[in-house]
Amino acid sequence: LFRSPHFAMAMSRFAAWHALLAAGAPLASATLEMYCPTVEDLQWDYNDGGGVLFDQGWEITGGARASTKASFNLLGGYIEFTMDVSQSKPGVNTNVYSSFPNLTDAGYRGTQDYCDGQGPNGPSPYWCLEQDFIETNGPMLFSSTWHTVERGQEYPHGCDHHGCAAEHHFVTSGPHCNRSEGEPEPVIESARSFRLRATFTGGGRMIVTLSQDDERKDNLVELADEHYKHWDGSIPGEVEHTIVKQYMQQQGAVILSSQWTGWVPGSECPLGPAGASSPASSKFTVKDLVLRGRTVKGTATRCKPPHDISGSVTSRITELFLMCLVVHCLVWS
Protein backbone atom coordinates (compact mmCIF):
# COMPACT_ATOMS: atom_id res chain seq x y z
CA LEU A 1 0.00 0.00 0.00
CA PHE A 2 2.62 2.54 1.06
CA ARG A 3 4.77 1.80 -2.02
CA SER A 4 1.83 2.33 -4.32
CA PRO A 5 2.27 5.25 -6.78
CA HIS A 6 -1.35 6.16 -6.04
CA PHE A 7 -0.48 6.53 -2.38
CA ALA A 8 2.51 8.74 -3.18
CA MET A 9 0.39 10.93 -5.49
CA ALA A 10 -2.40 11.24 -2.92
CA MET A 11 0.05 12.14 -0.16
CA SER A 12 1.57 14.81 -2.38
CA ARG A 13 -1.88 16.35 -2.96
CA PHE A 14 -2.67 16.14 0.75
CA ALA A 15 0.59 17.91 1.65
CA ALA A 16 -0.20 20.71 -0.80
CA TRP A 17 -3.76 21.06 0.53
CA HIS A 18 -2.62 21.10 4.15
CA ALA A 19 0.01 23.77 3.38
CA LEU A 20 -2.65 26.00 1.84
CA LEU A 21 -4.93 25.51 4.83
CA ALA A 22 -2.13 26.28 7.28
CA ALA A 23 -1.40 29.49 5.34
CA GLY A 24 -4.99 30.63 5.76
CA ALA A 25 -6.42 29.64 2.40
CA PRO A 26 -10.24 29.96 2.35
CA LEU A 27 -12.22 26.82 3.15
CA ALA A 28 -16.00 26.91 2.86
CA SER A 29 -16.65 25.31 6.25
CA ALA A 30 -13.89 27.14 8.09
CA THR A 31 -14.02 30.72 6.80
CA LEU A 32 -16.28 31.96 9.61
CA GLU A 33 -14.90 32.73 13.04
CA MET A 34 -16.56 32.47 16.44
CA TYR A 35 -16.35 35.66 18.51
CA CYS A 36 -16.93 35.97 22.25
CA PRO A 37 -16.56 39.74 22.92
CA THR A 38 -14.75 40.55 26.16
CA VAL A 39 -15.36 43.66 28.23
CA GLU A 40 -12.51 45.29 26.28
CA ASP A 41 -14.47 44.74 23.05
CA LEU A 42 -17.55 46.52 24.44
CA GLN A 43 -18.31 50.13 25.37
CA TRP A 44 -21.02 52.54 26.51
CA ASP A 45 -22.44 55.02 24.03
CA TYR A 46 -24.05 56.54 27.12
CA ASN A 47 -24.78 55.19 30.58
CA ASP A 48 -27.09 57.22 32.81
CA GLY A 49 -28.20 54.46 35.18
CA GLY A 50 -25.05 52.72 36.38
CA GLY A 51 -25.03 49.87 33.88
CA VAL A 52 -22.27 47.27 33.96
CA LEU A 53 -20.28 45.69 31.11
CA PHE A 54 -18.76 42.23 31.46
CA ASP A 55 -17.33 39.56 29.18
CA GLN A 56 -19.93 38.59 26.57
CA GLY A 57 -22.64 40.88 27.90
CA TRP A 58 -24.00 43.74 29.97
CA GLU A 59 -26.58 44.75 32.54
CA ILE A 60 -28.49 47.95 31.80
CA THR A 61 -30.30 49.91 34.50
CA GLY A 62 -32.14 53.08 33.55
CA GLY A 63 -31.22 54.84 30.32
CA ALA A 64 -28.12 53.49 28.58
CA ARG A 65 -26.77 52.03 25.34
CA ALA A 66 -24.03 49.41 25.08
CA SER A 67 -22.24 48.58 21.83
CA THR A 68 -19.52 46.51 20.23
CA LYS A 69 -16.39 48.29 19.05
CA ALA A 70 -16.21 46.07 15.97
CA SER A 71 -18.65 45.56 13.12
CA PHE A 72 -19.40 42.05 11.84
CA ASN A 73 -20.34 40.35 8.60
CA LEU A 74 -22.77 37.69 9.81
CA LEU A 75 -23.69 36.26 6.39
CA GLY A 76 -23.81 32.48 6.74
CA GLY A 77 -23.50 32.91 10.51
CA TYR A 78 -25.43 34.30 13.45
CA ILE A 79 -25.55 36.32 16.65
CA GLU A 80 -26.77 34.53 19.78
CA PHE A 81 -27.27 35.61 23.39
CA THR A 82 -29.28 35.02 26.57
CA MET A 83 -31.62 37.82 27.64
CA ASP A 84 -33.41 38.42 30.95
CA VAL A 85 -36.19 41.04 31.04
CA SER A 86 -37.77 39.85 34.29
CA GLN A 87 -36.81 43.11 36.04
CA SER A 88 -37.83 45.43 33.21
CA LYS A 89 -40.83 47.73 33.59
CA PRO A 90 -43.98 47.93 31.44
CA GLY A 91 -43.74 50.69 28.86
CA VAL A 92 -39.91 50.61 28.73
CA ASN A 93 -38.14 49.65 25.50
CA THR A 94 -35.35 47.11 26.14
CA ASN A 95 -33.59 45.87 23.05
CA VAL A 96 -30.70 44.31 21.14
CA TYR A 97 -30.22 45.41 17.53
CA SER A 98 -27.71 46.12 14.77
CA SER A 99 -26.94 49.19 12.71
CA PHE A 100 -24.48 49.66 9.87
CA PRO A 101 -22.62 53.00 10.18
CA ASN A 102 -19.80 54.24 8.00
CA LEU A 103 -16.66 53.39 9.97
CA THR A 104 -12.91 53.68 9.74
CA ASP A 105 -10.76 50.58 10.14
CA ALA A 106 -10.58 51.38 13.86
CA GLY A 107 -14.24 50.38 14.25
CA TYR A 108 -17.21 51.93 16.06
CA ARG A 109 -16.38 54.84 18.39
CA GLY A 110 -19.76 55.36 20.01
CA THR A 111 -22.24 58.21 19.57
CA GLN A 112 -20.02 60.08 17.09
CA ASP A 113 -20.45 57.16 14.66
CA TYR A 114 -24.06 56.30 15.49
CA CYS A 115 -26.79 55.90 12.89
CA ASP A 116 -30.03 53.95 12.58
CA GLY A 117 -33.12 53.38 10.46
CA GLN A 118 -34.94 56.46 11.84
CA GLY A 119 -32.35 58.97 10.59
CA PRO A 120 -31.67 61.62 9.73
CA ASN A 121 -32.61 63.03 13.12
CA GLY A 122 -30.90 64.21 16.29
CA PRO A 123 -29.29 60.96 17.48
CA SER A 124 -28.71 59.69 13.92
CA PRO A 125 -27.25 62.35 11.57
CA TYR A 126 -27.87 60.10 8.57
CA TRP A 127 -29.92 57.04 7.72
CA CYS A 128 -28.41 53.57 7.79
CA LEU A 129 -29.70 50.03 7.74
CA GLU A 130 -31.04 48.81 11.09
CA GLN A 131 -32.24 45.37 12.12
CA ASP A 132 -33.88 44.98 15.50
CA PHE A 133 -33.37 41.45 16.75
CA ILE A 134 -35.66 42.21 19.68
CA GLU A 135 -37.40 45.20 21.26
CA THR A 136 -39.57 44.57 24.28
CA ASN A 137 -42.36 46.43 25.98
CA GLY A 138 -40.96 45.60 29.39
CA PRO A 139 -41.94 42.02 30.32
CA MET A 140 -45.20 42.09 28.33
CA LEU A 141 -44.49 41.88 24.60
CA PHE A 142 -41.61 41.82 22.10
CA SER A 143 -41.09 42.66 18.45
CA SER A 144 -38.40 42.08 15.82
CA THR A 145 -38.04 44.50 12.90
CA TRP A 146 -36.31 45.14 9.55
CA HIS A 147 -35.45 48.74 8.52
CA THR A 148 -33.86 48.46 5.06
CA VAL A 149 -34.83 51.69 3.24
CA GLU A 150 -34.89 55.35 4.21
CA ARG A 151 -38.23 57.03 4.71
CA GLY A 152 -39.61 58.28 1.41
CA GLN A 153 -37.55 55.76 -0.57
CA GLU A 154 -40.17 52.99 -0.88
CA TYR A 155 -40.25 51.16 -4.23
CA PRO A 156 -43.31 51.24 -3.87
CA HIS A 157 -43.09 49.07 -0.76
CA GLY A 158 -40.25 48.55 1.62
CA CYS A 159 -39.19 48.21 5.24
CA ASP A 160 -38.79 51.94 5.94
CA HIS A 161 -38.68 53.82 9.26
CA HIS A 162 -41.98 52.15 10.18
CA GLY A 163 -40.28 48.82 9.58
CA CYS A 164 -41.40 45.33 8.68
CA ALA A 165 -42.16 43.95 12.12
CA ALA A 166 -43.26 40.78 13.88
CA GLU A 167 -44.84 40.94 17.35
CA HIS A 168 -45.31 38.28 20.00
CA HIS A 169 -46.64 38.41 23.54
CA PHE A 170 -44.71 37.12 26.51
CA VAL A 171 -46.25 34.76 29.02
CA THR A 172 -46.49 37.01 32.09
CA SER A 173 -48.29 36.95 35.41
CA GLY A 174 -48.17 40.75 35.77
CA PRO A 175 -49.50 43.54 33.54
CA HIS A 176 -50.14 42.33 30.03
CA CYS A 177 -51.16 43.56 26.59
CA ASN A 178 -54.47 42.71 24.97
CA ARG A 179 -53.94 39.93 22.45
CA SER A 180 -56.29 40.09 19.48
CA GLU A 181 -57.79 37.03 17.87
CA GLY A 182 -55.40 35.42 15.43
CA GLU A 183 -52.21 36.56 17.18
CA PRO A 184 -49.82 33.74 18.13
CA GLU A 185 -50.22 32.09 21.51
CA PRO A 186 -47.50 33.29 23.94
CA VAL A 187 -44.88 30.63 24.75
CA ILE A 188 -41.84 32.57 26.06
CA GLU A 189 -42.04 33.38 29.78
CA SER A 190 -40.65 36.82 30.59
CA ALA A 191 -40.08 35.83 34.23
CA ARG A 192 -37.23 33.57 33.06
CA SER A 193 -34.27 34.19 30.79
CA PHE A 194 -34.53 33.08 27.17
CA ARG A 195 -32.11 32.45 24.32
CA LEU A 196 -32.23 34.43 21.06
CA ARG A 197 -30.41 33.60 17.84
CA ALA A 198 -30.55 35.71 14.68
CA THR A 199 -29.25 33.64 11.77
CA PHE A 200 -28.32 35.09 8.38
CA THR A 201 -28.19 33.20 5.11
CA GLY A 202 -25.45 33.94 2.61
CA GLY A 203 -27.99 35.95 0.64
CA GLY A 204 -28.99 38.25 3.53
CA ARG A 205 -32.18 36.62 4.84
CA MET A 206 -32.64 36.87 8.62
CA ILE A 207 -34.34 34.22 10.79
CA VAL A 208 -34.82 35.03 14.48
CA THR A 209 -35.42 32.24 17.00
CA LEU A 210 -36.33 32.61 20.69
CA SER A 211 -36.27 29.54 22.89
CA GLN A 212 -36.51 28.28 26.45
CA ASP A 213 -36.12 24.81 27.98
CA ASP A 214 -33.57 23.44 25.52
CA GLU A 215 -35.62 24.44 22.47
CA ARG A 216 -38.69 22.37 23.20
CA LYS A 217 -41.15 22.89 20.37
CA ASP A 218 -43.72 24.37 22.73
CA ASN A 219 -41.22 26.93 24.04
CA LEU A 220 -39.86 28.17 20.72
CA VAL A 221 -40.67 31.11 18.44
CA GLU A 222 -39.19 31.32 14.94
CA LEU A 223 -39.57 34.47 12.84
CA ALA A 224 -38.83 34.43 9.11
CA ASP A 225 -39.78 36.67 6.14
CA GLU A 226 -43.48 35.82 6.15
CA HIS A 227 -43.85 36.92 9.80
CA TYR A 228 -42.45 40.43 9.25
CA LYS A 229 -45.16 42.80 8.02
CA HIS A 230 -45.08 46.44 6.94
CA TRP A 231 -48.20 48.48 7.65
CA ASP A 232 -49.08 48.20 3.93
CA GLY A 233 -48.89 44.39 4.07
CA SER A 234 -45.55 43.95 2.30
CA ILE A 235 -42.91 41.59 3.71
CA PRO A 236 -39.12 41.35 3.29
CA GLY A 237 -38.08 39.73 0.02
CA GLU A 238 -35.15 39.49 -2.38
CA VAL A 239 -34.67 43.26 -2.50
CA GLU A 240 -34.36 43.47 1.29
CA HIS A 241 -32.09 40.43 1.40
CA THR A 242 -29.76 42.01 -1.17
CA ILE A 243 -29.61 45.28 0.79
CA VAL A 244 -28.69 43.40 3.98
CA LYS A 245 -26.05 41.39 2.11
CA GLN A 246 -24.41 44.54 0.72
CA TYR A 247 -24.34 46.29 4.10
CA MET A 248 -22.97 43.20 5.83
CA GLN A 249 -20.13 42.96 3.33
CA GLN A 250 -19.29 46.66 3.10
CA GLN A 251 -19.98 48.16 6.56
CA GLY A 252 -20.68 45.24 8.87
CA ALA A 253 -23.17 45.13 11.73
CA VAL A 254 -22.43 46.98 14.95
CA ILE A 255 -24.28 45.30 17.82
CA LEU A 256 -26.13 47.71 20.10
CA SER A 257 -28.39 47.32 23.11
CA SER A 258 -30.28 50.06 24.93
CA GLN A 259 -33.08 50.92 27.30
CA TRP A 260 -35.20 53.99 26.73
CA THR A 261 -38.72 55.41 26.67
CA GLY A 262 -40.71 57.26 24.03
CA TRP A 263 -41.94 54.33 21.95
CA VAL A 264 -42.63 50.67 22.65
CA PRO A 265 -44.10 47.88 20.53
CA GLY A 266 -47.70 46.91 21.21
CA SER A 267 -50.45 49.46 20.62
CA GLU A 268 -52.85 47.43 22.81
CA CYS A 269 -50.57 47.52 25.86
CA PRO A 270 -50.93 49.52 29.07
CA LEU A 271 -49.60 53.08 28.63
CA GLY A 272 -50.02 52.82 24.83
CA PRO A 273 -47.22 53.09 22.24
CA ALA A 274 -45.66 56.08 24.01
CA GLY A 275 -44.91 53.84 26.98
CA ALA A 276 -43.58 54.89 30.35
CA SER A 277 -42.27 58.35 31.16
CA SER A 278 -38.84 57.14 32.32
CA PRO A 279 -36.66 53.99 32.24
CA ALA A 280 -35.52 54.60 35.83
CA SER A 281 -35.48 51.43 37.97
CA SER A 282 -36.04 49.24 34.89
CA LYS A 283 -33.30 46.66 34.36
CA PHE A 284 -32.40 43.91 31.90
CA THR A 285 -29.41 41.69 31.20
CA VAL A 286 -27.71 40.25 28.12
CA LYS A 287 -25.10 37.51 28.60
CA ASP A 288 -23.34 34.66 26.76
CA LEU A 289 -23.05 36.78 23.60
CA VAL A 290 -21.45 34.92 20.69
CA LEU A 291 -21.19 35.80 17.02
CA ARG A 292 -20.30 33.61 14.06
CA GLY A 293 -19.01 35.57 11.09
CA ARG A 294 -16.13 37.89 10.24
CA THR A 295 -15.10 41.29 11.57
CA VAL A 296 -15.36 44.05 8.96
CA LYS A 297 -14.12 47.06 10.93
CA GLY A 298 -12.31 46.94 14.24
CA THR A 299 -11.31 43.80 16.11
CA ALA A 300 -13.02 41.37 18.50
CA THR A 301 -11.91 38.48 20.67
CA ARG A 302 -12.31 35.01 19.20
CA CYS A 303 -13.91 32.33 21.34
CA LYS A 304 -11.89 29.66 23.07
CA PRO A 305 -12.97 26.01 22.76
CA PRO A 306 -15.63 24.67 22.75
CA HIS A 307 -17.08 27.72 20.95
CA ASP A 308 -14.17 27.97 18.49
CA ILE A 309 -15.12 25.36 15.90
CA SER A 310 -12.71 26.33 13.13
CA GLY A 311 -9.89 24.12 14.44
CA SER A 312 -12.16 21.12 14.96
CA VAL A 313 -13.58 21.56 11.46
CA THR A 314 -10.08 21.53 10.01
CA SER A 315 -9.13 18.46 12.06
CA ARG A 316 -12.26 16.61 11.03
CA ILE A 317 -11.72 17.41 7.36
CA THR A 318 -8.11 16.21 7.64
CA GLU A 319 -9.31 12.98 9.25
CA LEU A 320 -11.89 12.37 6.53
CA PHE A 321 -9.31 13.14 3.84
CA LEU A 322 -6.94 10.53 5.25
CA MET A 323 -9.71 7.94 5.49
CA CYS A 324 -10.62 8.52 1.85
CA LEU A 325 -6.94 8.37 0.97
CA VAL A 326 -6.54 4.90 2.48
CA VAL A 327 -9.68 3.57 0.79
CA HIS A 328 -8.56 5.04 -2.54
CA CYS A 329 -5.15 3.43 -2.30
CA LEU A 330 -6.58 0.05 -1.24
CA VAL A 331 -8.79 0.03 -4.29
CA TRP A 332 -5.96 0.90 -6.68
CA SER A 333 -3.09 -1.06 -5.13
Side-chain angles (χ1 to χ4, degrees):
L1 170 62
F2 298 107
R3 295 179 181 178
S4 164
H6 300 289
F7 181 83
M9 181 182 298
M11 283 302 297
S12 176
R13 291 176 179 175
F14 172 75
W17 172 83
H18 196 272
L20 285 173
L21 189 63
L27 182 64
S29 299
T31 53
L32 301 182
E33 299 282 356
M34 291 294 294
Y35 296 95
C36 294
T38 66
V39 67
E40 288 79 15
D41 300 322
L42 305 171
Q43 62 192 341
W44 292 112
D45 287 16
Y46 61 92
N47 182 13
D48 301 330
V52 179
L53 299 175
F54 44 84
D55 289 350
Q56 294 181 256
W58 47 85
E59 179 182 89
I60 291 181
T61 303
R65 185 171 70 218
S67 58
T68 59
K69 296 178 181 179
S71 68
F72 301 87
N73 179 351
L74 300 176
L75 297 176
Y78 57 82
I79 173 174
E80 187 172 15
F81 53 87
T82 299
M83 190 171 187
D84 185 341
V85 298
S86 62
Q87 299 183 67
S88 64
K89 303 300 183 183
V92 176
N93 187 315
T94 73
N95 57 70
V96 182
Y97 65 107
S98 63
S99 76
F100 296 73
N102 298 320
L103 303 175
T104 68
D105 289 341
Y108 180 68
R109 298 171 296 175
T111 53
Q112 62 183 308
D113 289 329
Y114 184 77
C115 66
D116 61 32
Q118 301 298 317
N121 56 25
S124 176
Y126 61 94
W127 178 90
C128 69
L129 175 71
E130 174 187 344
Q131 287 186 295
D132 302 317
F133 308 130
I134 184 169
E135 291 182 280
T136 82
N137 187 328
M140 301 184 299
L141 177 146
F142 65 91
S143 68
S144 180
T145 311
W146 296 56
H147 297 283
T148 52
V149 293
E150 188 173 355
R151 69 179 74 199
Q153 301 298 314
E154 297 84 355
Y155 45 84
H157 305 292
C159 303
D160 57 9
H161 61 295
H162 295 292
C164 296
E167 283 187 358
H168 269 259
H169 293 251
F170 283 121
V171 176
T172 177
S173 59
H176 62 278
C177 308
N178 294 327
R179 185 168 59 91
S180 60
E181 187 176 345
E183 287 189 282
E185 186 76 20
V187 296
I188 302 296
E189 300 176 20
S190 60
R192 301 188 295 124
S193 62
F194 55 88
R195 194 76 176 155
L196 186 148
R197 175 183 285 204
T199 302
F200 292 86
T201 68
R205 183 171 181 249
M206 179 176 73
I207 303 96
V208 172
T209 304
L210 288 85
S211 61
Q212 284 178 320
D213 299 331
D214 298 324
E215 300 187 2
R216 276 176 22 210
K217 290 298 182 183
D218 58 344
N219 284 73
L220 185 145
V221 173
E222 184 173 273
L223 305 173
D225 286 348
E226 62 272 18
H227 301 106
Y228 291 91
K229 302 289 198 310
H230 190 263
W231 64 265
D232 64 6
S234 59
I235 64 175
E238 289 301 320
V239 173
E240 285 75 24
H241 301 166
T242 299
I243 293 171
V244 171
K245 179 179 180 179
Q246 291 173 343
Y247 271 85
M248 282 285 188
Q249 293 172 331
Q250 295 169 11
Q251 273 104 325
V254 173
I255 308 305
L256 303 117
S257 178
S258 67
Q259 182 167 245
W260 60 286
T261 54
W263 179 86
V264 283
S267 58
E268 299 300 317
C269 298
L271 305 176
S277 59
S278 168
S281 77
S282 184
K283 179 189 296 186
F284 77 100
T285 304
V286 170
K287 63 181 182 179
D288 303 326
L289 172 67
V290 293
L291 304 100
R292 186 168 191 244
R294 284 289 190 183
T295 53
V296 178
K297 302 292 184 180
T299 60
T301 302
R302 291 181 176 86
C303 299
K304 298 178 181 178
H307 284 299
D308 188 358
I309 64 170
S310 58
S312 61
V313 169
T314 302
S315 299
R316 183 59 178 157
I317 292 174
T318 302
E319 179 183 339
L320 291 173
F321 185 94
L322 290 172
M323 289 172 61
C324 293
L325 170 66
V326 171
V327 172
H328 174 81
C329 292
L330 285 172
V331 170
W332 285 96
S333 60

